[in-house]
Every structure is written in C-alpha cells, then in structure tokens.
Amino acid sequence: MPPFQYQFKSLNHLGLVAAMCRELKIAEYIDARITNDSDVRNVSIGQAVVAMIINGLGFSGQTLYMFPDFYEDKPIDRLIGEGIQADHLNDKILGRALDSLYDAGVSDLYLHLAIKVVNHLKLPCKALNLDGTSFHVDGDYNSNDDPDDLKCIHICRGYSRDHRPDLNQVVLQLMTENEAGIPVFMAPASGNVNDKTCFQEIIKKHLSCFRAALNSHYLVADAAMYVAETLQLLDDQKQRFISRVPLNIKDAKQLVGKAPAVSLKPVEGYEDYYFAQVPSTYGDVQQRWFLFLNKKRRQSEQKTLIRKMEKQSLKEARDLEKLRKKAFLCEDDAFQAFALWQKQSKLCQSGSEPEVIRKPCYSGKGRPPSDSKPDHFEYFVHGVCFVACEKKEHAQASLGYFILSTNELDQNRLHAGELLSTYKSQQQVEGGFRFLKSPDFLVSSLYLKKPERIESLLMVMTLCLMVYAAIQHRIRHELKKQSRVFPNQKKKPCQNPTARWVFFCFQGINVLTVNNQEQHVVGLKEKQLTIIQILGISYESVYS
C-alpha cells in the first residue's frame, strides 16, 4: 500500500475575507463592468482584484511581484477559484488588472459597487463622512510635467499629513457611511491638491448621485468643508450638512473669546459636554452654530498648555541670559538687540526698561594703570523678564471649546446631542485612514511605476477597507441578532469585537490535503466556529 501524501495550506482568517468578497459579489461586478482583455487569461480581472484584496487583508505588506510567494501556501481554490495557481498571480497579470480598472474609471466603478454593498447590508446611511489623506510615493514620476496636461493624478510634493514634506505623495479623498464605516466613494487626487478644492469638486460632481442612491440626510466633514462657496453649493442642492467651524473665522473667534461668559446647558447623553446655540448666516447660508465645551478635554489641554508655556518661557529667559552676556559696539545696538528679543518673545515681558552697562576694554595684559585710557568700550544690556498672568488666562480661556454648524434649522429633527453624535461619526473615515496607513496593510508607501496604476491600487486599498468594515459590521450585527457572544482580549464575552481581533483569533487554521484529493480543514476551535456559524452557509462552505 503506497504511503499517504499530506499537504498543509494556511487558511486562517483569509476564508472570512474570501467569503465576504463572494457575498458582496466583487469579482462578478468587476467582470461584468470590464471586458476580459484576453481569452486565454487564467485569472479574470475580478478574480485578480479579489486576490489583491485577500493579500491586502492578509497583513503581509508584500508588493505585487511578491504575490506568487504569498499564495504559495494558501488554498487558492477555496479563496479565489478552481484551477488558479500561485504563479498565475504574477505582477504582469495584476498590473494589467490595475490598468483595466484605471481605463474603466476607478471612482465611478467603485461608487456603483459601494452603493450595491450599502443596500445589500441594509445600512440606514443617515450621514456621509468626507475627509482626505495623503500617501507617500517612492520614485520619480511626472514631477517635471505640467499637471494640466495629465489625464491621471500628478504625483508631487504637497501638504503631508504624515509630516514628511520631503517625499512625493498622492491624496485619497474618502467618503464613508456613518454606521459601519463602509467607504461609499473614493477619489485619487494629485499630491498638491487642497482639501477645500477637492471637497467642492466632489459636491459638484457626485453629491446628487449619493442622495438619489443612498438617501442620506447629512454630509459631515471637518473644517476644510466650511468655506463660503462650498456651503452655498450645499444649500443650493438642499443638502443638509454638519461641519466643524474653523476658529480663524472672525465670528467664530469672537464667539469663543466670550465663551466663558456664555450660559451653557448640558448635552443630553454626554456627561462632560455643554453647549450654547446661536444663529449664523456665514456664507449667506442660514444655519445654527453650536458652541460646545468638553470639560474633560479642557482639563487635559490645560495640563498640556502649562507644560508648553513653562518650556517656552524658560527658553525665552535663557535667550535673555545669553543676550546679557553678548558684547555690543554701541549703546544703540544693545537696545535694538533687546527690542528684538522682546518682539520675538511670545510669553516673557520686560519688567522695566533695560539697562545698558558700558565696560572699558584695554589692549595690554594685566591690570591697566589708573591713568590709562581704554582702547574702546563694550556695551552689555541687562533686563528682567516675567510672564504676565493675563497671558496665561487668555491662553486658557478658549481651551476645550469648539463650534459645530448645521443648516438643519428644525430643532426637533436635530438637537445638540444628536448633532454631536453625528459629527463624532467622522471618526469612521479617520479610522479608515489609520487602517489604510497601518504598517501591516499592503505597503506603507506606494512603489508602482505608473501613476495610472497607483490610482487603481488606491481603489483596491479602499476595497480592502470596504471588505474589512463589512466583515466587522456583519459579525457585530449577527452576534446581537442571535444573542451570541465572542471572547474579547480579556477573555470576557462581548458582542462588538473588531475584525482585526477576530482575524487574530483565526490563526492556526489549515487545509489538509491527502493524496491530492481529500481535503480537511483542521485547527478549528469553538470560538472560531461561533463566527463561522453566525455568518452563514457561504462562510461555512469555505471552512468545511
């Protein structure tokens, strides 16, 4: 009797990712929208995209040419499809798939898929959250070309959210629904674009499509959206918005300045928040401003401010001490140096008029004779500094205050507590950016050679975020619906685990193949079976 032949393939959490891709019909949607570029292609464009999503959510951080290595020990037939081998998923196949995505228009292609996903998951989509971020790009692309002559994005330096202004970058504009954090819109942009300009373009070109398809009530964004022209665009389209008001606006600055004297009421449902409501017509748009005070945040900011002020005042005092030891050739130079120190000092003030001391200088060594005349004089400036209490009080006055604005004038439809909770859903899109920038996700910076492919890869990255958010939403929803629990990191039962924690708990699951025919999934434990069972038959089939 011939010996048995055994082969292990690593499945782990990738089965959840593959099953969600099938549930959302990502491959079918892409293949229906994009014609296959070859009759002899082993992997369809939709399957190639799913392969990139599985790799991205495998948290391996591998580039395109490393894909065959990633899939070498994976059960590809279960994850992607029958007949596909690891060497089929090479950089040429995947690169052509990215080219096809670009030719189809990544933003439009993604938008219609996202609408299907939101409707499939039956999300209420009460609000949409809009924001942008940047990604580093390595290599020299089109930095010497005229960006107006390019059909694709222009890769160049710009304002870096990661504090790396020395690197070229590309910008991703993202819009998510506010319950599960599903990205419903993505738009690559050139590295030097301004969020204010991008937001206006998105509102002009795409907002009506969102409203018709998703019936969302509010558009939520940070202070970059609060521009007079943008507010007028929103009001013309009868779109309700919630936005943070930048404090460099004159009216906002005045409101925060007199905030300590304003009577505030507690926000229902929020222990540390208080608010006052005032009308506004900024940008010729009727709206309500809500002045909020977060007392807990105020206490934290006060401690930080005191540390910063102490550090700054000590530096300015040391600068004055250095100035005291510096010799000047004339009295006027000494006074001018002191005046310059006073001008540059943000906190320290002079306690009195500075005193200039004249010191004689002699050319010879030793003590000069009593009747000798000095060769020249050196002048030293002395002064006393202090920090005025008024400066500290003025700096602390606005701590913990912020202003939110909305053009929803009906107080019954949107009160202070609901306004605040809806704005806090902005954390969904910000959390999405943190996910995309995770060192374990795809690549921390982009290495592709063609700007067109970078646009397409940004779409694939957003699809990864969509699948991740959809898995997390389905797990949490089904746990609550079926009254079941999953152990958290402290081994206590919970109904809202993160998908990342669930993925971690799925380690050690393998597919055992015997004699290249019989397959068995091994390594399944009770907590893993809980997740598989609540998600349904399609997930059970991957792990059976």
Side-chain angles (χ1 to χ4, degrees):
M1 183 175 180
F4 287 104
Q5 293 182 346
Y6 298 99
Q7 187 179 31
F8 281 92
K9 297 283 186 178
S10 177
L11 183 59
N12 296 332
H13 69 279
L14 299 181
L16 299 178
V17 178
M20 179 54 73
C21 289
R22 290 174 195 167
E23 180 181 340
L24 302 180
K25 299 181 179 179
I26 293 176
E28 292 90 333
Y29 169 80
I30 292 175
D31 288 334
R33 294 287 295 262
I34 302 176
T35 305
N36 233 338
D37 55 3
S38 174
D39 294 333
V40 295
R41 176 190 274 272
N42 295 306
V43 183
S44 73
I45 296 170
Q47 288 174 324
V49 171
V50 169
M52 287 187 273
I53 294 172
I54 292 172
N55 174 264
L57 292 176
F59 305 111
S60 62
Q62 292 177 327
T63 49
L64 293 184
Y65 66 87
M66 300 286 287
F67 266 51
D69 295 332
F70 172 80
Y71 279 102
E72 189 65 38
D73 65 339
K74 305 295 188 300
I76 303 177
D77 54 336
R78 288 174 179 261
L79 298 177
I80 302 174
E82 294 286 344
I84 300 176
Q85 300 175 9
D87 57 358
H88 293 160
L89 301 169
N90 54 58
D91 57 337
K92 292 183 179 179
I93 293 294
L94 300 175
R96 289 173 188 166
L98 293 176
D99 292 338
S100 298
L101 292 178
Y102 174 80
D103 293 337
V106 293
S107 293
D108 183 66
L109 188 66
Y110 181 87
L111 171 61
H112 290 90
L113 173 60
I115 291 172
K116 290 179 179 293
V117 169
V118 170
N119 291 331
H120 170 76
L121 296 175
K122 299 179 181 178
L123 296 169
C125 207
K126 177 183 177 182
L128 297 176
N129 302 85
L130 177 62
D131 205 351
T133 194
S134 57
F135 293 88
H136 300 153
V137 180
D138 290 280
D140 185 18
Y141 293 84
N142 44 28
S143 55
N144 297 323
D145 300 331
D146 181 0
D148 295 332
D149 295 335
L150 296 170
K151 295 181 181 179
C152 61
I153 56 176
H154 186 65
I155 299 169
C156 57
R157 297 180 184 179
Y159 172 70
S160 175
R161 279 83 165 177
D162 301 324
H163 310 291
R164 289 299 307 271
D166 55 314
L167 297 178
N168 288 334
Q169 65 179 23
V170 63
V171 170
L172 175 64
Q173 302 293 338
L174 206 62
M175 191 180 292
T176 66
E177 57 78 40
N178 70 322
E179 182 167 314
I182 301 290
V184 296
F185 176 78
M186 56 81 56
S190 299
N192 59 352
V193 299
N194 186 297
D195 276 352
K196 296 177 182 179
T197 305
C198 275
F199 288 179
Q200 287 184 20
E201 288 299 312
I202 292 171
I203 291 168
K204 283 180 183 177
K205 296 179 180 179
H206 303 287
L207 188 60
S208 58
C209 181
F210 296 135
R211 294 185 63 193
L214 300 174
N215 195 28
S216 61
H217 296 295
Y218 302 106
L219 179 64
V220 185
D222 59 16
M225 190 178 75
Y226 203 82
V227 180
E229 295 82 356
T230 308
L231 299 184
Q232 290 167 5
L233 276 173
L234 292 168
D235 202 54
D236 290 343
Q237 297 188 37
K238 296 183 173 16
Q239 173 63 56
R240 299 295 182 227
F241 66 80
I242 296 173
S243 174
R244 188 157 185 154
V245 179
L247 297 184
N248 58 359
I249 294 176
K250 181 181 177 181
D251 292 346
K253 195 179 296 184
Q254 290 177 350
L255 179 58
V256 172
K258 63 181 182 180
V262 176
S263 176
L264 301 177
K265 296 183 289 186
V267 180
E268 185 177 350
Y270 290 88
E271 184 179 350
D272 298 313
Y273 284 86
Y274 297 81
F275 82 100
Q277 178 181 325
V278 296
S280 174
T281 56
Y282 182 80
D284 295 327
V285 175
Q286 291 287 337
Q287 53 197 289
R288 293 185 290 158
W289 278 11
F290 288 78
L291 174 68
F292 285 98
L293 168 62
N294 183 344
K295 286 195 171 182
K296 195 171 183 179
R297 180 68 179 270
R298 179 180 174 85
Q299 293 173 357
S300 174
E301 290 179 350
Q302 281 177 335
K303 294 178 182 178
T304 303
L305 177 66
I306 290 172
R307 285 197 301 267
K308 287 183 177 180
M309 292 184 72
E310 287 177 349
K311 185 177 179 179
Q312 179 67 24
S313 59
L314 286 173
K315 178 185 178 301
E316 293 172 3
R318 285 194 296 266
D319 290 342
L320 181 59
E321 182 64 21
K322 291 177 183 178
L323 184 63
R324 187 179 70 84
K325 298 176 181 179
K326 185 176 180 180
F328 295 93
L329 297 178
C330 68
E331 190 173 316
D332 288 342
D333 288 348
F335 278 119
Q336 288 179 9
F338 186 86
L340 180 61
W341 169 85
Q342 182 70 83
K343 182 179 179 180
Q344 293 176 342
S345 296
K346 298 178 180 178
L347 296 175
C348 290
Q349 299 178 3
S350 175
S352 59
E353 287 295 321
E355 178 187 2
V356 174
I357 299 174
R358 188 176 71 168
K359 179 181 178 181
C361 297
Y362 299 89
S363 58
K365 293 183 179 181
R367 180 178 295 180
S370 59
D371 59 346
S372 62
K373 293 183 178 181
D375 296 317
H376 64 279
F377 289 93
E378 290 181 343
Y379 296 86
F380 297 84
V381 61
H382 287 210
V384 179
C385 68
F386 70 97
V387 178
C389 293
E390 292 80 3
K391 285 203 171 186
K392 180 180 177 182
E393 292 172 358
H394 178 73
Q396 290 182 331
S398 61
L399 295 181
Y401 288 97
F402 62 96
I403 302 174
L404 298 182
S405 173
T406 179
N407 59 343
E408 175 60 82
L409 303 180
D410 188 346
Q411 299 190 33
N412 296 323
R413 294 187 63 182
L414 189 65
H415 54 77
E418 190 175 1
L419 172 79
L420 184 60
S421 64
T422 306
Y423 177 76
K424 280 178 172 288
S425 67
Q426 185 72 2
Q427 296 170 0
Q428 295 276 17
V429 65
E430 293 169 357
F433 285 141
R434 287 193 298 273
F435 172 83
L436 293 176
K437 291 189 173 188
S438 168
D440 297 329
F441 174 78
L442 276 177
V443 284
S444 57
S445 57
L446 307 179
Y447 295 94
L448 294 177
K449 294 181 178 179
K450 295 174 63 177
E452 296 87 347
R453 289 186 177 181
I454 288 179
E455 285 198 38
S456 300
L457 186 59
L458 286 172
M459 174 187 169
V460 175
M461 292 167 69
T462 311
L463 283 171
C464 290
L465 177 57
M466 170 197 283
V467 172
Y468 178 89
I471 291 173
Q472 182 169 275
H473 171 74
R474 285 270 282 112
I475 289 173
R476 292 177 173 182
H477 176 76
E478 294 299 332
L479 284 173
K480 293 174 183 176
K481 181 181 177 182
Q482 301 181 33
S483 300
R484 301 184 71 172
V485 294
F486 186 80
N488 62 13
Q489 289 90 330
K490 297 181 179 180
K491 298 184 179 181
K492 294 183 178 180
C494 73
Q495 292 183 319
N496 60 340
T498 65
R500 191 65 178 266
W501 169 244
V502 173
F503 289 177
F504 178 80
C505 292
F506 268 65
Q507 290 182 345
I509 302 176
N510 297 283
V511 176
L512 171 63
T513 304
V514 182
N515 292 335
N516 295 321
Q517 292 180 347
E518 188 178 346
Q519 290 190 347
H520 303 274
V521 176
V522 296
L524 282 171
K525 299 177 182 178
E526 183 179 351
K527 61 181 179 180
Q528 298 160 346
L529 288 171
T530 298
I531 297 297
I532 296 168
Q533 290 167 1
I534 64 170
L535 290 177
I537 297 175
S538 59
Y539 295 81
E540 292 176 353
S541 65
V542 176
Y543 286 94
S544 62

